[in-house]
Amino acid sequence: MTDTPVSPSRSDTAQAVKAGLRRRYAAERRFKAYGIAAIGVALLMLGILFGTIIANGWSAFRQTYVQIDVLVDAAEIDPDGNRDPKILSRGDYEKLIKLSLREIFPDVKKRKEKRELYDLVSSGAAFDLRDDVMADPSLVGQTVSLWVPASDDIDMFMKGYISAEVAEDERRVSDKQIARIESLREQGRISTGFNLRFFTGGDSREPELAGIAGAALGTLWTMLVVLALAFPLGVMSAVYLEEFAPKNRWTDIIEVNINNLAAVPSIVFGLLGLAVFLNFFGMPRSAPLVGGLVLALMTLPTIIIAGRAALKAVPPSIREGALGLGASRMQMVVGNVLPLAMPGMLTGAIIGMARALGETAPLLMIGMVAFIVDLPKNPLDAATVLPVQIFLWADSPERAFVERTSAATIVLLVFLILMNLGAVLLRKKFERRW
Amino acid sequence: MMLTRMFAVAGLALVIGAGAAEARDQIRIVGSSTVFPFSTAVAERFGKTTDFKTPVVEATGSGGGLKLFCAGVGVGHPDITNSSRRIKASEVKMCADNGVAEVVEVKIGYDGIVVANSKKAAQYALTLKDLFLALAKDVPDGAGKLTPNPYKTWKDVNPDLPATKIEVLGPPPTSGTRDAFVELALEGGCKSFDWIEALKKSDKNRYKAICHTIREDGAYVEAGENDNLIVQKLEANPDALGVFGFSFLDQNSDKVQGSKIDGVEPEFELIAEGEYPISRPLFFYVKKAHVGVVPGIAEFLAEFTSDKAWGEEGYLGDKGLIPMLEDERAEWTEKAAGLVPLSM
């Protein structure tokens, strides 16, 4: 037996490990629990956000309508009887609507009562009637049965946002109006239906007439300009920097600057747009073209960075193979590398554009935060975009704009989810692993 | 192939864009966010009832609007600017320096600023002096000196008021509503101290510093430009008061109540008659050189100044504008129709 120094025996080590084991397992469980809690909090926040928006907004997709029978009196709107569109468009259709309401409630005599009665239907009713008559002049002289939107206060009342319990002078719907709504309901003249106008109309100061089509079209034009500019520029820059450019100090500086540009706050691009596109080039204010230019500058760095990452992911063996078979560098890039890198580049472009879709700050400077009724027919017409529309409605005093704000947010979120989904699908479908 | 086509489209769009600035057939309006709801309502009606395009209205704030407006004559500059205060002499000069010589002023009515709280609590009856003492940064200590605002509850300010903590939600300094509130309410209360009023002549800057500075110790909470948000917060917190425009009180009269100021309720008629102390006139300014160049300006003025719009029962009243009395309306209608330029 020799005296070997007593090293900690195996059983000692095992004991030490065992003693600590419980603590280590517990620490691991805690760590996992923290992670799950973090995800839980994030999901909860998201749930609350979506929950409140949807709960507040879904009712805006429905609208209360009132049925009235209007006598399109030739004496009122077409005194000469020659159906001249110019004369027809000038007619006092509001009066016709008012007369038809009086027909339903013949007992209304006093001035204030009349006013309250006329307030039951939207001021847009007269314009609807005019459009119908303009489209079909044979309606003149006939009695037309029309479903017209109820005014915003009545709509709010029907949806339960205004309670009849509160004292009369504290709510915007009077007792008489409530009685009239009841009587209309008994006659089957009131109904709630899909709010088509919300999707086809431009902005309006009357909540019941306001729609998001103008903002959605503005967004579409803006995004087209962004895509047409930022994508080709981004792809070309990425390809040159990654495949052709020599690695020297100049390309390093360019690279650092592109990374910096990606982190510049968006309002700065708006200031640039104001100074360069509006003041120097004299482009029109509020035009989606200018908005698109500004947002394209903003998304360009994102696209370049994503593009370079996608090109880097293409293995060098592909390049070497192509070159080895005698392809020129350009043939190699266009024929072999780019198709493989394209899904990654498209993903980058879509994510960059999704960010641009939600921007309002840079657009403030170039006049796209504005009240615009007419739908933009091309990228030069004055237009606004969805997030700006949400901002404008959120700031309007009328109660009915609250639900419309949330409804517009739902539409914007659907747009964003679709775009991000597109990015994920593209990646899933074309992604190659080596 | 596809790339080159995209470049071509973008290039073409640029060229067209530069050309489009040469002519314009749509009225452009900028300016105050307080006047915005009224201006847009008229713009929409105008677009629907005439053959002209609907004017584009931007909310840039009164000062920002006048800056854009005075930048020059030509279709690249706005035709009309809204303002929740009268144009300043310095701005008239800026306009003139840039060639905007003739500006037509149109007063459209009044806006009341209300101090409101939730219906769940009792209505307040405040004086301008209470508001000043509760909200100013430094207040008189009774010995002709100033002391940092010591008041914690409304009862400290005025024994008749409840012993609730002073908590006022109001607009941030960028807002025109804030400017008007400070000028009309705080300065109004500030002037009730004789020695401060005397300062106005001897040391104007100090007078302004005393009367126009709001306390920053948390009693006044800047709640953002969104008045709807203030209404929602008041509903959730019955102890707080909120400062916002009359139209928001009008729309939410089931949720919030306006406080009496100097014994006057914030009601439509009382503001119109000038009884209510915190109210201000609203204006818009028209570039005379653009009338006849950009189509529809004269017709737009006619629509805005018609009884149907700004009259006692007009649609602007429904939007919360407080109309002028009949004589005053007639006077301004005449000025607008005759395009009488502003002289200061």
Side-chain angles (χ1 to χ4, degrees):
Chain A
M1 292 271 285
T2 45
D3 272 22
T4 42
V6 183
S7 63
S9 72
R10 264 190 165 197
S11 66
D12 279 353
T13 318
Q15 229 150 28
V17 168
K18 225 178 210 163
L21 207 54
R22 275 170 64 104
R23 243 189 38 238
R24 283 165 61 202
Y25 275 138
E28 188 156 331
R29 272 198 303 274
R30 274 201 306 278
F31 192 72
K32 269 202 238 164
Y34 294 151
I36 291 173
I39 293 176
V41 170
L43 281 180
L44 186 74
M45 294 291 177
L46 205 65
I48 291 173
L49 177 76
F50 277 87
T52 43
I53 290 174
I54 293 172
N56 283 335
W58 71 271
S59 56
F61 297 127
R62 302 186 68 73
Q63 160 76 31
T64 311
Y65 295 92
V66 179
Q67 189 188 33
I68 49 174
D69 303 316
V70 191
L71 170 67
V72 186
D73 193 351
E76 279 296 337
I77 57 167
D78 191 20
D80 305 336
N82 50 13
R83 307 284 187 269
D84 179 2
K86 271 219 170 103
I87 305 287
L88 279 182
S89 77
R90 294 272 154 76
D92 190 355
Y93 294 91
E94 220 167 310
K95 191 169 170 191
L96 299 181
I97 301 275
K98 285 178 177 172
L99 284 174
S100 70
L101 281 168
R102 295 262 296 282
E103 200 106 314
I104 303 175
F105 298 104
D107 56 315
V108 175
K109 290 280 181 299
K110 274 190 234 140
R111 206 175 139 83
K112 185 169 175 256
E113 282 188 3
K114 278 190 200 164
R115 221 174 123 75
E116 276 186 7
L117 174 65
Y118 302 152
D119 280 347
L120 288 181
V121 301
S122 163
S123 62
F127 302 113
D128 283 0
L129 178 64
R130 184 186 67 182
D131 291 346
D132 284 357
V133 173
M134 297 286 288
D136 181 10
S138 70
L139 293 177
V140 177
Q142 295 183 23
T143 301
V144 196
S145 181
L146 267 184
W147 283 98
V148 296
S151 70
D152 53 329
D153 288 332
I154 303 301
D155 188 40
M156 287 290 98
F157 175 75
M158 292 298 291
K159 286 173 179 168
Y161 290 111
I162 294 178
S163 158
E165 320 260 289
V166 219
E168 191 185 0
D169 60 338
E170 286 166 10
R171 57 179 136 82
R172 293 184 57 82
V173 183
S174 70
D175 286 345
K176 282 233 171 72
Q177 280 178 318
I178 294 176
R180 297 206 197 293
I181 294 171
E182 273 311 314
S183 125
L184 281 172
R185 210 200 311 244
E186 275 158 26
Q187 297 176 42
R189 285 180 178 277
I190 217 158
S191 81
T192 315
F194 179 65
N195 189 359
L196 184 65
R197 205 186 283 257
F198 184 73
F199 295 97
T200 58
D203 195 6
S204 170
R205 289 288 303 135
E206 307 300 329
E208 71 275 12
L209 304 177
I212 50 164
L217 269 177
T219 296
L220 185 75
W221 288 121
T222 311
M223 286 299 133
L224 278 179
V225 175
V226 172
L227 185 69
L229 270 172
F231 190 64
L233 287 181
V235 169
M236 287 311 290
S237 317
V239 166
Y240 180 77
L241 285 174
E242 201 57 43
E243 303 288 335
F244 295 95
K247 298 273 173 275
N248 60 26
R249 195 173 340 144
W250 290 112
T251 47
D252 279 351
I253 290 178
I254 292 176
E255 189 171 343
V256 167
N257 277 308
I258 289 174
N259 287 332
N260 278 339
L261 216 55
V264 167
S266 55
I267 184 80
V268 176
F269 289 99
L271 287 168
L272 181 86
L274 175 69
V276 176
F277 300 130
L278 294 190
N279 293 347
F280 187 73
F281 285 116
M283 289 186 182
R285 259 181 100 80
S286 318
L289 173 69
V290 183
L293 286 172
V294 168
L295 294 178
L297 287 179
M298 200 188 80
T299 39
L300 202 52
T302 319
I303 295 181
I304 295 176
I305 291 170
R308 293 188 67 180
L311 286 168
K312 268 203 190 98
V314 177
S317 55
I318 302 264
R319 296 187 179 83
E320 281 152 16
L323 293 177
L325 285 171
S328 72
R329 282 179 77 90
M330 195 192 113
Q331 283 171 327
M332 178 264 285
V333 167
V334 175
N336 301 79
V337 179
L338 214 47
L340 290 172
M342 217 20 119
M345 292 181 146
L346 281 174
T347 309
I350 292 176
I351 290 181
M353 283 178 61
R355 187 186 150 206
L357 185 71
E359 278 297 341
T360 51
L363 304 180
L364 189 74
M365 308 309 297
I366 53 167
M368 285 183 85
V369 179
F371 174 75
I372 293 156
V373 177
D374 302 335
L375 303 184
K377 293 191 189 64
N378 59 55
L380 293 170
D381 280 348
T384 185
V385 292
L386 282 170
V388 170
Q389 190 66 74
I390 292 168
F391 167 73
L392 288 174
W393 283 352
D395 218 17
S396 301
E398 288 82 4
R399 180 87 59 89
F401 273 123
V402 174
E403 57 164 20
R404 264 146 241 266
T405 307
S406 295
T409 313
I410 294 175
V411 174
L412 180 67
L413 284 176
V414 168
F415 260 89
L416 278 172
I417 290 171
L418 284 180
M419 282 180 86
N420 283 325
L421 201 67
V424 171
L425 288 180
L426 271 176
R427 202 161 51 216
K428 275 266 178 297
K429 191 158 166 26
F430 295 106
E431 197 177 42
R432 300 267 301 260
R433 287 185 190 283
W434 283 279
Chain B
M1 272 290 284
M2 208 176 98
L3 293 191
T4 31
R5 206 175 302 150
M6 275 181 173
F7 274 121
V9 169
L12 195 69
L14 278 175
V15 175
I16 302 170
E22 307 285 308
R24 176 151 63 79
D25 58 354
Q26 194 168 30
I27 301 175
R28 313 253 359 184
I29 304 170
V30 294
S32 163
S33 47
T34 312
V35 187
F36 182 80
F38 312 128
S39 196
T40 46
V42 178
E44 188 180 351
R45 285 275 176 149
F46 174 74
K48 280 188 178 156
T49 52
T50 64
D51 298 332
F52 299 105
K53 278 194 175 176
T54 311
V56 171
V57 190
E58 272 182 65
T60 60
S62 301
L66 279 160
K67 217 166 132 188
L68 284 168
F69 179 80
C70 288
V73 172
V75 287
H77 303 286
D79 312 310
I80 295 175
T81 185
N82 299 319
S83 180
S84 57
R85 56 169 172 77
R86 204 157 183 237
I87 191 169
K88 292 178 192 158
S90 60
E91 285 160 340
V92 175
K93 191 175 172 294
M94 176 169 75
C95 263
D97 289 347
N98 290 323
V100 186
E102 290 190 308
V103 175
V104 181
E105 179 181 58
V106 182
K107 183 171 165 185
I108 60 173
Y110 298 92
D111 175 42
I113 296 170
V114 300
V115 183
N117 68 339
S118 163
K119 281 244 138 141
K120 290 174 212 150
Q123 188 190 21
Y124 278 75
L126 302 166
T127 63
L128 293 182
K129 192 173 162 189
D130 295 340
L131 282 172
F132 169 69
L133 290 178
L135 295 177
K137 192 170 182 200
D138 297 307
V139 293
D141 59 359
K145 288 231 171 55
L146 289 174
T147 165
N149 198 329
Y151 304 119
K152 294 270 179 276
T153 71
W154 288 100
K155 205 178 172 66
D156 298 343
V157 173
N158 180 345
D160 298 338
L161 292 171
T164 357
K165 200 176 131 225
I166 298 173
E167 189 180 359
V168 178
L169 309 169
T174 45
S175 154
T177 310
R178 159 82 166 254
D179 289 346
F181 178 70
V182 165
E183 263 168 46
L184 296 163
L186 292 202
E187 195 180 325
C190 185
K191 274 195 293 202
S192 61
F193 294 91
D194 293 336
W195 66 273
I196 301 181
E197 167 121 60
L199 269 180
K200 191 173 181 180
K201 292 207 180 80
S202 54
D203 188 351
K204 208 168 175 190
N205 285 337
R206 193 166 137 73
Y207 169 79
K208 262 200 156 167
I210 298 173
C211 293
H212 286 195
T213 315
I214 286 192
R215 67 198 288 187
E216 286 156 356
D217 56 358
Y220 182 89
V221 185
E222 282 173 11
E225 293 263 15
N226 188 332
D227 290 354
N228 270 328
L229 210 63
I230 299 186
V231 172
Q232 282 171 25
K233 283 181 180 163
L234 289 182
E235 227 193 333
N237 178 3
D239 287 341
L241 286 167
V243 176
F244 45 84
F246 173 75
S247 47
F248 286 83
L249 177 68
D250 196 31
Q251 289 280 341
N252 294 290
S253 49
D254 55 341
K255 294 181 184 166
V256 289
Q257 58 194 348
S259 311
K260 279 191 208 172
I261 306 288
D262 284 349
V264 186
E265 297 265 4
E267 277 170 10
F268 194 87
E269 290 78 14
L270 294 170
I271 302 174
E273 285 158 14
E275 296 283 321
Y276 185 76
I278 323 178
S279 86
R280 57 178 159 169
L282 304 174
F283 299 90
F284 69 85
Y285 295 90
V286 185
K287 214 173 271 176
K288 198 173 174 180
H290 282 195
V291 181
V293 178
V294 176
I297 295 182
E299 290 82 354
F300 179 79
L301 282 181
E303 170 73 33
F304 213 130
T305 55
S306 70
D307 236 29
K308 188 171 70 169
W310 74 357
E312 255 150 60
E313 305 221 324
Y315 56 85
L316 289 180
D318 294 341
K319 294 275 163 219
L321 177 77
I322 291 153
M324 295 177 281
L325 297 177
E326 208 169 338
D327 298 349
E328 208 179 357
R329 282 208 304 276
E331 183 194 326
W332 284 103
T333 309
E334 203 174 298
K335 274 193 200 173
L339 294 171
V340 181
L342 172 78
S343 53
M344 277 185 107

